[in-house]
Amino acid sequence: MTRKSVFRDPAQCMNCKTCIIACKLKHMFPPHNTTGAAADPKGVNLIQVYHVDPEISGDNVHQPFVSIACMHCEDAPCIKVCPSSAILKDSETHITLVDQERCIGCKACLWVCPYGAPSFNEDGKLVLCDLCIDRLREGKKTACEAACPASAIYVASPEEISELRARKAVERIAGGKME
Amino acid sequence: MAFISFIEGPLLWFSFLFFAAGIVTRFIFFSFVIIKSSKPRNPGWSNTLVSFLRLFLPFHMAVIKKPVYAALRYLFHICLFVVPIWLAGHIALWEESRFDWTWGTLSDEWADWMTLLFLFIAAYLFIRRVILSGIRTESKKEDLLLIIITALPFLTGYFYAHGTLDSIAFLGDNIGTIHILSGELMLIMVAFLFCRTRLNREMCTGCAACELSCPTGTLEFRDEGRNRIFSYLLYQCISCGACVNTCPEKAAELRHEIDILRLFRPTSRETIRSVELKECEQCNGLYAPGPLMRKIENVGLKITDDYIQFCPKCRRSNYLERIRVSTR
Ligand code: SF4
Ligand code: SF4
Ligand code: SF4
Ligand code: SF4
Ligand code: SF4
């Protein structure tokens, strides 16, 4: 496999949160605790979807939605700060992976991640998007990419993603499909 | 000599009874507190028990971190228990006593070598404490005193058995009495001797990983006001060392400590550390422990300044803002 990157397109995302559900199902995160002292209505979520303030100009309303998960930074700050070397880069795909046995739950990774992506399970161990590496190895799409009805998520090599983005930009400017 | 017969008679009885009463009281308090405590995250009794038993096995992380020091510590404690209990001279006294008890004895040669080994290690520990002033300067004096009180019966006992000091008038005449007195002092001290967790002020970053690993809920933290406060319940601690193994800064440590007041306060939590929390520069919310953030800044991240002063929520909103500008 080549290097893998992820792009979540705010222009396409429509805030349906299907990716969140697909991701939770794929990873079989336990049901949310909604009662008692440990109640956490969100539970472990690897993706968060936000809407940013709309832009209104005349009759045009532009409302971007943004889904945020681990970006698999190339020079990942979380790896640098982790005191127990619990976060690693997959040598082949450059995906950021977590060794939960080693994680001690100090949360240094959360305090340093530019996207606030790290999420913690009820044992206090880090859970991070693994870009569904097992599915990628089988040649399938990631759970979120496969589920997204708006095709807002692409997981591919950085070159493929930039080509795709360039293609979209050209289409937007030219106002039509490119051959 | 009324004083000497007092030391060899009533005071000896008193020390043994005091020792026994102290151990029983502490065991009762310990059982009470441990049974009463329940923690939602607690993986159950088996985990607590396993952690407790692991204390007696010399194969855990602390050994891997400092193998020589750990080996010496184990030898030290083995000698500390074996020599006084199985020494032929002591057993002779038990046989003479009204209990008429007896059990197998340690050969004199072994007893001598073990005593010398013990004294050698004690001297090493003492010198190590004096030299390495970096090790917990706060309680250095008590530590030294503790080593002296522990080593004294062995030292005097060795002199007593070998008559080394017989030529020195006062010591030569009274070494037996001094030996008994020092032994009594040690027995009484044991009732107040605790093994407790400390979080080193200079090294601890307040990350609370130790709290997460503690199987009994002995260590707890809460964020209160501008500070993160760690509290500790001595009687609930099983000295398992999970916190020591976990701490990434080597700041958590288990240490012996003489604490007279604590003996009678089985359920009172004490605050053992307070760490200030860092404020987000955007929303002014307190989020991460300050020393940890300073440490993270020192790691030398390339892109630190854009976001590290913000809480994770504000980081996300800043990111969203950037996206909004770029999709405009
Ligand atoms: S957790 Fe955060 S810092 Fe680490 S790779 Fe993912 S996005 Fe980057
Ligand atoms: S929480 Fe776990 S993964 Fe994150 S920095 Fe701490 S030890 Fe590493
Ligand atoms: S790639 Fe997989 S793990 Fe990552 S967010 Fe999507 S579904 Fe979750
Ligand atoms: S694990 Fe170590 S550094 Fe973290 S709070 Fe506990 S003692 Fe301090
Ligand atoms: S405070 Fe440390 S030594 Fe005591 S029970 Fe908890 S983890 Fe074990």
Side-chain angles (χ1 to χ4, degrees):
Chain A
M1 257 197 300
T2 53
R3 278 180 52 191
K4 291 290 172 190
S5 265
V6 56
F7 182 76
R8 296 180 168 82
D9 192 346
Q12 310 246 105
C13 177
M14 55 186 194
N15 199 18
C16 66
K17 298 187 165 68
T18 309
C19 51
I20 302 182
I21 309 290
C23 179
K24 282 176 87 82
L25 284 172
K26 154 73 180 61
H27 292 275
M28 291 188 283
F29 290 131
H32 291 167
N33 221 341
T34 48
T35 52
D40 174 7
K42 289 218 303 302
V44 182
N45 270 357
L46 300 187
I47 318 181
Q48 318 262 1
V49 180
Y50 295 92
H51 66 272
V52 293
D53 294 340
E55 291 255 327
I56 304 168
S57 51
D59 287 344
N60 288 329
V61 177
H62 180 54
Q63 170 69 77
F65 297 103
V66 187
S67 82
I68 304 184
C70 174
M71 296 291 192
H72 300 278
C73 315
E74 184 58 42
D75 190 8
C78 56
I79 297 181
K80 283 203 188 126
V81 295
C82 177
S84 47
S85 315
I87 316 179
L88 324 148
K89 273 275 170 202
D90 183 57
S91 57
E92 198 186 349
T93 56
H94 294 224
I95 293 175
T96 305
L97 296 173
V98 183
D99 181 350
Q100 285 200 347
E101 288 289 302
R102 281 189 170 183
C103 173
I104 56 170
C106 68
K107 302 197 172 49
C109 47
L110 173 60
W111 306 138
V112 82
C113 172
Y115 309 102
S119 194
F120 294 86
N121 67 15
E122 64 256 51
D123 295 334
K125 306 279 171 101
L126 173 66
V127 254
L128 215 53
C129 161
D130 59 0
L131 270 189
C132 296
I133 188 165
D134 47 342
R135 286 176 62 94
L136 291 183
R137 286 207 175 113
E138 289 168 17
K140 295 182 190 159
K141 287 182 169 182
T142 68
C144 51
E145 184 182 5
C148 179
S151 310
I153 303 175
Y154 338 118
V155 177
S157 71
E159 296 76 27
E160 282 164 341
I161 288 182
S162 52
E163 201 198 310
L164 210 105
R165 295 293 301 151
R167 196 177 271 265
K168 294 230 168 198
V170 171
E171 280 170 11
R172 205 169 52 236
I173 296 163
K177 281 248 173 247
M178 226 169 76
E179 276 309 302
Chain B
M1 292 282 263
F3 179 62
I4 292 178
S5 60
F6 170 71
I7 286 176
E8 293 178 357
L11 191 59
L12 190 62
W13 277 109
F14 173 77
S15 328
F16 272 114
L17 288 176
F18 195 90
F19 170 77
I23 298 289
V24 170
T25 316
R26 282 173 57 171
F27 184 74
I28 293 170
F29 282 167
F30 172 73
S31 316
F32 171 73
V33 173
I34 268 290
I35 290 169
K36 215 185 63 154
S37 78
S38 67
K39 180 168 119 153
R41 192 174 54 232
N42 196 335
W45 277 102
S46 56
N47 184 304
T48 307
L49 198 67
V50 167
S51 311
F52 187 47
L53 292 178
R54 217 178 36 210
L55 170 66
F56 296 101
L57 288 177
F59 304 107
H60 46 69
M61 272 297 283
V63 177
I64 299 164
K65 280 182 189 165
K66 294 179 191 165
V68 177
Y69 179 60
L72 287 181
R73 247 176 14 201
Y74 273 99
L75 280 176
F76 183 84
H77 284 93
I78 290 170
C79 296
L80 177 63
F81 283 93
V82 168
V83 176
I85 298 178
W86 280 279
L87 188 79
H90 287 174
I91 293 175
L93 292 176
W94 283 110
E95 279 170 8
E96 276 172 34
S97 75
R98 70 181 70 188
F99 301 112
D100 200 13
W101 285 341
T102 185
W103 54 88
T105 61
L106 196 66
S107 81
D108 283 350
E109 200 176 322
W110 266 90
D112 273 355
W113 281 113
M114 284 178 83
T115 308
L116 286 176
L117 178 67
F118 178 89
L119 288 171
F120 169 77
I121 301 175
Y124 166 77
L125 294 177
F126 189 85
I127 293 167
R128 187 174 177 273
R129 273 278 171 279
V130 173
I131 294 176
L132 293 180
S133 51
I135 311 180
R136 287 186 24 269
T137 30
E138 315 135 44
S139 56
K140 202 167 155 184
K141 283 203 193 85
E142 289 103 78
D143 285 345
L144 295 179
L145 187 69
L146 176 63
I147 298 177
I148 294 173
I149 294 179
T150 316
L152 211 54
F154 286 78
L155 192 67
T156 54
Y158 189 81
F159 289 155
Y160 186 35
H162 293 263
T164 324
L165 302 178
D166 280 1
S167 53
I168 305 166
F170 175 77
L171 283 179
D173 295 341
N174 297 301
I175 192 77
T177 316
I178 296 173
H179 174 60
I180 296 173
L181 199 59
S182 61
E184 287 164 353
L185 183 64
M186 187 165 93
L187 277 177
I188 291 173
M189 179 188 77
V190 168
F192 301 111
L193 184 66
F194 290 95
C195 189
R196 56 165 297 145
T197 305
R198 292 222 185 95
L199 308 183
N200 186 308
R201 199 162 304 163
E202 269 102 62
M203 297 191 275
C204 170
T205 57
C207 71
C210 47
E211 186 261 0
L212 203 61
S213 70
C214 177
T216 55
T218 300
L219 272 173
E220 276 180 5
F221 81 92
R222 58 181 193 281
D223 290 347
E224 199 178 272
R226 305 191 64 82
N227 290 305
R228 170 171 288 188
I229 291 164
F230 289 85
S231 66
Y232 175 77
L233 183 52
L234 181 58
Y235 270 100
Q236 199 170 317
C237 180
I238 54 177
S239 304
C240 63
C243 48
V244 181
N245 295 345
T246 300
C247 178
E249 308 297 333
K250 297 197 176 70
E253 40 192 27
L254 275 168
R255 291 287 174 198
H256 285 304
E257 184 179 277
I258 305 168
D259 197 334
I260 296 174
L261 290 177
R262 194 75 32 210
L263 175 65
F264 304 105
R265 288 192 205 143
T267 55
S268 77
R269 280 197 162 268
E270 57 187 307
T271 298
I272 55 169
R273 175 135 177 77
S274 159
V275 184
E276 97 278 15
L277 291 169
K278 186 172 172 354
E279 193 176 275
C280 170
E281 291 190 357
Q282 187 163 319
C283 67
N284 295 337
L286 296 162
Y287 66 107
L292 179 60
M293 291 312 287
R294 280 196 287 281
K295 178 142 190 290
I296 288 176
E297 283 164 24
N298 288 339
V299 172
L301 299 161
K302 284 185 200 148
I303 40 173
T304 350
D305 34 339
D306 339 5
Y307 61 86
I308 209 155
Q309 310 301 339
F310 305 130
C311 68
K313 225 174 134 191
C314 291
R315 285 177 201 174
R316 274 184 230 134
S317 68
N318 289 353
Y319 172 64
L320 297 178
E321 187 58 31
R322 286 203 297 274
I323 297 249
R324 193 170 78 100
V325 171
S326 75
T327 56
R328 196 172 274 175

